[in-house]
Each structure stands twice: as C-alpha cells, then as structure tokens.
Amino acid sequence: MASVRRRASRRSLIAILAVCALGLLLVVAVSALGSQRRVCVGCHESAAEGLAKTSHSAVSCYDCHLEAGLWSYPTFKANEVFRMYPQALIGAESTRTAVRTSAAACAQCHQSTMKATTPQSVRGLRILHSACAVSQGSCDPCHPTTGHGTESRAALTTTMSDCIRCHRERSVSEECGTCHQDGRDSSELRVKPVTHTRTWNTLHGMGELDQCSLCHAQKFCTECHEVVVPHPAEFGREHGEAALESRKVCSTCHRQVFCDSCHGVPMPHPAAYLQKHSKATTTTADPKCIRCHSGQDCDRCHARHIHGGSARGVPVPRPAPPARYESSDGS
C-alpha cells in the first residue's frame, strides 16, 4: 500500500515538474520571439508607422520602453504574457493610460547631453538637459513626439507654464533671457501662452494667473478688472469692503454660489436678512458670522432691548449708576 502511494506521489511530482518546465519553455519562447519588433507591430501598427518617420526608426522597442534597462525585462515580459497577449488574442483594446518613457532609457544614447553642466542652445532656446531630466524623470514632457511622431498616445505640447513652474520650485530666474536665446526682456518678447486662444477674453481666468506678470504689468489687469488680480494673499480677509463697493466687479469672475459656499450664508446679505438672521445662527461665536463680524456688532443691536435681560445670552453692557444714587459713604 505504501509503495502504491509513493508511486502516486512520484507521478504527481513528475506532472508538476512537467507543467513547470512547459511553462518555463513557454516564457522563454515568448521572450525570445516576442522581443522582436514585428511582434509589437502586430498590435501597435500606428505607433510603428509613426516611429518609421522619426530619427529613432532603427531603435528597438525595448531600448526605450524598459524603464530601468535589463532590470525591467522580467516584469515587462510578465506584463506581455499575462496582460498584453491575452488582450490581443480576444481583440481587446488597451485600457491603460500612456506611460512616460524614463530618462534612463534616453540616456543610453544621449548620455553626454543629459549630463551636460551648461545649457545647450536648441532652436532658439537654452536648455539645461541635466536639470530637466532629473526634475521630470522623463524626456517626454518636452519631447512627446520624438519616438512616434503624432501617433504618440500622449502627444501633448509642452507649454512655457511648465518651464516657469519648475523654475519657481527651484528658485531659477524667470527672466526671458534665461531660456530664450535672443535675450529680449519680457516687455519685448511675445510668447503666446496656452491660454491665449480665440476665447481668451472669457476663459483666461482658468489659466495660471500668477504667470500673467511674466508679460503683463499689474496695471494691465487692474484697468479691466478694477481690482488687483491675481488677488494678493491677504485679499481673502479684506475683500468685504471692496465687494460692497461694487458687486459688478466681483461678478465678472465669480458667481453668487462662490461667495455663498465660502460664507455659508447669502453674501452680501439681502435686504430682509437682518429681521430673519436669528434663524441662521444661535450664537455670537458662529464661525460663519465671526468671519466678518465681531461680538460688538451683535451687542450694539441686541443691547438696545428695553427689558433688563439680554437677547440669546448676549450680555447687556450696563451704564454706571448716576451720582445721586451713591450713598454718603461712597458705597
């Protein structure tokens, strides 16, 4: 009986080893055959057509798409075998977002450029590639169409806003001459920001307003908006007076819901609000009230009640007693 069990166990072990060996052979075969460009082209035909039109037409797919070189090979192959190929067999399209090409992959051929310690002039721009590559971790933001032309899944054009954002994070000069080879200053240089489209007049507020000052003096914005924009840091605490002076100025950019959602009550208060405000609050410490009002604002009104008590617990300031009520001993 024991010998029968041993034979059964041996057969099971042999079967398991055979399956493992077969799986290993399959992985090896797929790795060897699937690492050829014609296999990638089977699903990525348009990307291959775009690649053929670029200066990288002779570069292998793996040279660019292995994030950390050969160290990425096992995980990349596992992704192919268990995700890409099954999807291809059933005719499913990729649902994943585009993945950026790592700067390390580009460094294989462009090492001298990416390690340069001085800016290089390229098509009228001075660029320090070593700083850009390190900060972005990828060359794609500035070179989105280099690999596959317009067929790139993330063929987005880099804007000057991206450069300025990075410069500010690293305290690098924002002067135009820092990057633009002609060296003209901001008053002479005319670079069209991404927000300056045909609908600029109505949509420019959706851009990064802190970058308007690169080309425009504060007077340029104030003449149209009639108030300092972008609003200074303390404006949130001091805007009440400006808002009351001219509601039309605020409504140019803000809807009523913008004010109400922050204050928690209709702002400015409607005409009949004073008579009904007790329904909106029950205490002088209500956060939505003390944003704009102090306790004295409540006391001025509530202390005028004719009875000796107070309204909703607000203490009534009492005047000093007249002199005729004082006793002869001053008590």
Side-chain angles (χ1 to χ4, degrees):
M1 188 70 177
S3 61
V4 173
R5 290 179 179 175
R6 282 196 297 272
R7 284 196 298 272
S9 298
R10 192 178 299 114
R11 283 195 295 271
S12 298
L13 180 60
I14 293 173
I16 293 172
L17 291 175
V19 171
C20 291
L22 183 61
L24 182 60
L25 287 173
L26 178 63
V27 171
V28 171
V30 169
S31 297
L33 299 175
S35 298
Q36 302 178 42
R37 179 180 292 187
R38 63 173 176 268
V39 176
C40 301
V41 173
C43 294
H44 303 283
E45 186 177 357
S46 60
E49 290 176 356
L51 176 66
K53 300 174 183 178
T54 71
S55 59
H56 291 72
S57 57
V59 179
S60 163
C61 303
Y62 287 85
D63 287 340
C64 293
H65 292 285
L66 291 182
E67 293 185 17
L70 289 177
W71 293 106
S72 300
Y73 191 83
T75 55
F76 196 92
K77 274 300 167 188
N79 184 42
E80 282 186 359
V81 173
F82 298 108
R83 187 184 68 85
M84 293 185 185
Y85 294 159
Q87 281 187 320
L89 290 174
I90 63 175
E93 294 184 359
S94 176
T95 55
R96 284 195 172 186
T97 56
V99 178
R100 284 183 173 181
T101 306
S102 70
C106 300
Q108 295 178 85
C109 298
H110 304 282
Q111 191 170 21
S112 59
T113 298
M114 294 177 65
K115 287 189 174 182
T117 56
T118 56
Q120 295 175 306
S121 296
V122 182
R123 292 192 292 275
L125 292 176
R126 282 200 294 268
I127 303 171
L128 183 60
H129 284 86
S130 57
C132 294
V134 170
S135 63
Q136 297 284 348
S138 171
C139 301
D140 292 356
C142 292
H143 303 280
T145 60
T146 298
H148 298 285
T150 56
E151 297 298 334
S152 295
R153 289 177 61 191
L156 302 175
T157 303
T158 301
T159 67
M160 194 170 71
S161 297
D162 299 324
C163 303
I164 294 299
R165 191 182 305 109
C166 184
H167 276 226
R168 289 181 176 175
E169 290 173 355
R170 290 160 178 75
S171 301
V172 179
S173 173
E174 299 173 24
E175 289 298 320
C176 301
T178 304
C179 297
H180 293 276
Q181 196 171 7
D182 54 16
R184 289 179 287 178
D185 60 33
S186 58
S187 63
E188 299 173 326
L189 191 63
R190 289 293 176 264
V191 179
K192 186 178 180 180
V194 68
T195 54
H196 284 40
T197 60
R198 288 179 297 176
T199 56
W200 174 86
N201 192 45
T202 55
L203 298 180
H204 66 282
M206 297 176 68
E208 297 183 69
L209 299 183
D210 60 339
Q211 295 187 11
C212 298
S213 59
L214 293 171
C215 300
H216 303 291
Q218 181 63 60
K219 181 181 178 183
F220 178 85
C221 306
T222 305
E223 285 179 348
C224 182
H225 286 275
E226 300 180 34
V227 66
V228 178
V229 288
H231 300 319
E234 66 277 6
F235 190 78
R237 296 189 299 271
E238 302 174 354
H239 70 286
E241 186 175 344
L244 290 174
E245 286 182 2
S246 177
R247 290 291 295 156
K248 185 181 292 187
V249 171
C250 301
S251 61
T252 302
C253 300
H254 304 293
R255 295 180 179 179
Q256 183 63 46
V257 68
F258 178 86
C259 307
D260 296 350
S261 62
C262 183
H263 286 274
V265 291
M267 290 297 295
H269 300 321
Y273 187 79
L274 185 60
Q275 289 78 15
K276 301 177 181 179
H277 75 283
S278 59
K279 295 180 180 179
T281 183
T282 58
T283 172
T284 56
D286 192 324
K288 62 178 174 287
C289 297
I290 61 176
R291 279 198 189 99
C292 302
H293 301 288
S294 66
Q296 292 179 345
D297 293 333
C298 305
D299 295 345
R300 283 194 197 96
C301 183
H302 286 270
R304 293 176 183 175
H305 283 279
I306 59 173
H307 52 73
S310 63
R312 295 190 179 277
V314 179
V316 180
R318 299 180 182 279
R324 64 175 179 273
Y325 290 132
E326 293 181 1
S327 62
S328 57
D329 59 359
S331 62

